[in-house]
Amino acid sequence: MQSGLTLQARRVFDEMPQRNIVSWTSAISGYTRNGKPDQALALFFLMLNSGFYPNEFGFGSLLRACVEARQFKTGHQLHGLIEKSGLGLNVFVGSALIVLYSRSMYLAKACRVLNRMEAGDTFAWTSMIVGYSNGGFSLEALELFSQMIESEVRPSEFTFTSVLKACASMEAVKLGSQAHGYAIKLGFEDNYAVRVSLADLYAKCGDMLKALILYDRAPHVDVVLCTVIIGGYAQIGDSDKSMEIFVEMLNLGLLPNAFTLASMIVACSNSHRAHGPAIHGHAIKSNCDSILHVEGALVHMYAKMGKMEDACRVFKNMMHKDDVSCSSILTGFSRNGYDADAIEFYCKLHRSGVKPDAFSLASVISSCAKLSDHVYGRQHHAQVMKHGHVSDTFVAGTLVDMYAKSGFIEEARQIFDDVPVRDRVLWSAMVDGYAEHGMGKKALRVFDDMIEGSVLIDQQGTI
């Protein structure tokens, strides 16, 4: 049974005149190890009907089978049998329970299991940290890691990768650097998985110098590490370096995955726009063009390039049109002078029940301003108030601009006065509004107030 359950092995098992706990456990473990969790669970029920109860190893395999088969409810029921069997404090069983509860997002129960265990081992602690990190509870993952160290439990490479993932999600580069130092102390400096996680941390926090050092010193590189570096450079707007690493990756014979291509599309949105269609071609060739985050990046790139026909073509073919892609289309229409299309598109989104974000509302109000369409502008103002974006300085700036250009300067001033914290764009919108209507003294008064408030003026500021 140790090499896995073949049909012949199962036949031998079925023909055994007498079975004991060892043979039942071996059969269940064999199914679980060979990726057949449903068969493992089916065999468990036969085991119960035969009058046998699993031992700690059997329960461990069954809990793993529940996770792999996503039969979480069955796993929760197994926990009751485990407690009745007196194995609730067993480290092996406890670790499997933590994995079950963390994968099914019952993190509080997973934590209770860890706290009850007689002596949590590395696997148990790490399983809990992985659960927190993957569930988006990054702070809790870092707090538990600190407790793990205080309890003198040695972390594994999987512990460090999850801790570094949590640091990256919080952009906590200082805590990540401390974890980096501890990883070096424990001899994980050359572990490839840890190296990739460290590079990802530094890249997401904008420290590309440290990320590139890890990349350059790697004994070998794969598509994951290359993608991390490409994405990091794309995030800080250094498209040249993204393109350099991408070409280097292709020269090494590495095939880009969906994340690589999405990052390269973002890079092409910033510059190297002529290469955008070629990257799109790579996505089609790799069958990645219908993956959501690749589609979203393509919509954003074409909209930013002003190629609204291409942007709309990709958007139309999307199976799931997410809020980000909708916002990209709307912003693309507005920024590229298709203001009537922007208003029409927004109305379609509103009728379909999509809740607009602040950026979408600002874009459609900007289009109303350029068309001096105060009727639609007032309707969208109502949407701003309904969805709680009235104090957003970016939205307020477009409202001030819209009312001012439509000749409703008093309404513009009312919105301006109601915003508690004003940025340069909002101040400039108010100054421009007065200036456009020949109210020079009021424009200068607002301008003086802006200077007294130490608001910075760019080279295109209005005087």
Side-chain angles (χ1 to χ4, degrees), residues 28-70:
I28 290 171
S29 299
Y31 272 132
T32 303
R33 282 197 308 271
N34 284 275
K36 298 180 178 179
D38 292 322
Q39 288 91 327
L41 293 172
L43 200 61
F44 163 64
F45 292 113
L46 288 176
M47 179 184 184
L48 291 180
N49 291 334
S50 299
F52 289 93
Y53 274 80
N55 57 19
E56 63 268 35
F57 303 109
F59 275 124
S61 292
L62 286 166
L63 290 169
R64 179 183 166 190
C66 289
V67 171
E68 292 181 1
R70 301 191 66 80

Side-chain angles (χ1 to χ4, degrees), residues 92-386:
F92 184 76
V93 176
S95 297
L97 281 169
I98 291 170
V99 173
L100 170 78
Y101 283 126
S102 61
R103 291 281 185 88
S104 55
M105 295 308 296
Y106 285 86
L107 295 173
K109 287 187 177 181
C111 196
R112 282 198 292 270
V113 172
L114 178 64
N115 292 335
R116 287 183 59 222
M117 289 172 66
E118 295 171 348
D121 61 359
T122 297
F123 183 77
W125 283 90
T126 299
S127 298
M128 190 68 245
I129 290 171
V130 169
Y132 275 138
S133 184
N134 289 344
F137 298 92
S138 300
L139 184 60
E140 289 80 357
L142 297 179
E143 289 175 348
L144 193 62
F145 178 62
S146 179
Q147 294 174 30
M148 181 180 184
I149 294 171
E150 290 174 3
S151 300
E152 298 183 349
V153 179
R154 180 184 171 86
S156 67
E157 63 179 275
F158 304 106
T159 318
F160 278 112
T161 55
S162 290
V163 166
L164 292 168
K165 177 183 176 182
C167 291
S169 69
M170 296 172 61
E171 295 187 10
V173 68
K174 186 175 180 180
L175 291 173
S177 295
Q178 292 173 356
H180 187 179
Y182 193 47
I184 292 172
K185 181 180 178 181
L186 295 184
F188 289 103
E189 183 178 13
D190 295 325
N191 182 278
Y192 192 75
V194 174
R195 179 182 294 274
V196 172
S197 296
L198 283 166
D200 185 56
L201 163 73
Y202 291 124
K204 285 179 178 173
C205 294
D207 192 343
M208 289 309 299
L209 179 60
K210 288 183 179 178
L212 193 60
I213 289 172
L214 288 159
Y215 173 80
D216 288 336
R217 292 181 180 176
H220 69 280
V221 296
D222 62 3
V223 66
V224 177
L225 183 55
C226 289
T227 299
V228 164
I229 302 300
I230 289 169
Y233 278 123
Q235 179 180 293
I236 63 172
D238 193 341
S239 302
D240 290 338
K241 291 296 291 184
S242 290
M243 184 63 69
E244 180 183 322
I245 300 297
F246 183 68
V247 171
E248 186 175 313
M249 186 186 86
L250 294 179
N251 289 337
L252 290 171
L254 299 173
L255 296 176
N257 60 24
F259 297 102
T260 320
L261 293 166
S263 294
M264 279 306 303
I265 293 165
V266 171
C268 290
S269 299
N270 299 325
S271 63
H272 291 289
R273 293 185 178 181
H275 296 288
I279 301 300
H280 190 177
H282 271 289
I284 294 171
K285 186 177 179 181
S286 305
N287 292 321
C288 295
D289 58 313
S290 59
I291 296 175
L292 180 60
H293 57 274
V294 175
E295 290 177 318
L298 285 167
V299 169
H300 176 74
M301 179 188 73
Y302 283 127
K304 196 171 182 180
M305 291 167 65
K307 296 184 176 182
M308 291 309 299
E309 286 188 12
D310 292 324
C312 289
R313 188 180 301 111
V314 175
F315 182 80
K316 183 179 179 181
N317 291 329
M318 291 177 70
M319 293 292 292
H320 174 67
K321 297 173 175 60
D322 62 351
D323 293 345
V324 176
S325 298
C326 291
S327 182
S328 294
I329 291 290
L330 183 57
T331 305
F333 278 139
S334 181
R335 286 183 175 175
N336 291 293
Y338 301 98
D339 298 300
D341 292 311
I343 295 172
E344 182 183 351
F345 183 77
Y346 177 85
C347 290
K348 285 181 180 178
L349 291 179
H350 182 62
R351 286 195 296 269
S352 64
V354 175
K355 182 180 179 181
D357 59 14
F359 205 73
S360 297
L361 283 165
S363 295
V364 72
I365 292 167
S366 177
S367 288
C368 290
K370 285 183 280 184
L371 295 173
S372 297
D373 190 340
H374 67 91
V375 176
Y376 271 122
R378 288 182 186 277
Q379 291 177 8
H380 299 316
H381 187 181
Q383 291 293 312
V384 168
M385 298 178 70
K386 178 181 178 180

Side-chain angles (χ1 to χ4, degrees), residues 393-430:
T393 55
F394 187 59
V395 175
T398 58
L399 281 169
V400 168
D401 185 49
M402 184 271 296
Y403 278 119
K405 285 182 176 176
S406 301
F408 298 92
I409 196 69
E410 293 305 318
E411 283 90 338
R413 182 59 196 241
Q414 183 64 53
I415 292 166
F416 177 82
D417 289 339
D418 289 343
V419 179
V421 181
R422 305 175 189 121
D423 63 2
R424 179 187 57 77
V425 175
L426 184 56
W427 281 98
S428 297
M430 195 67 251

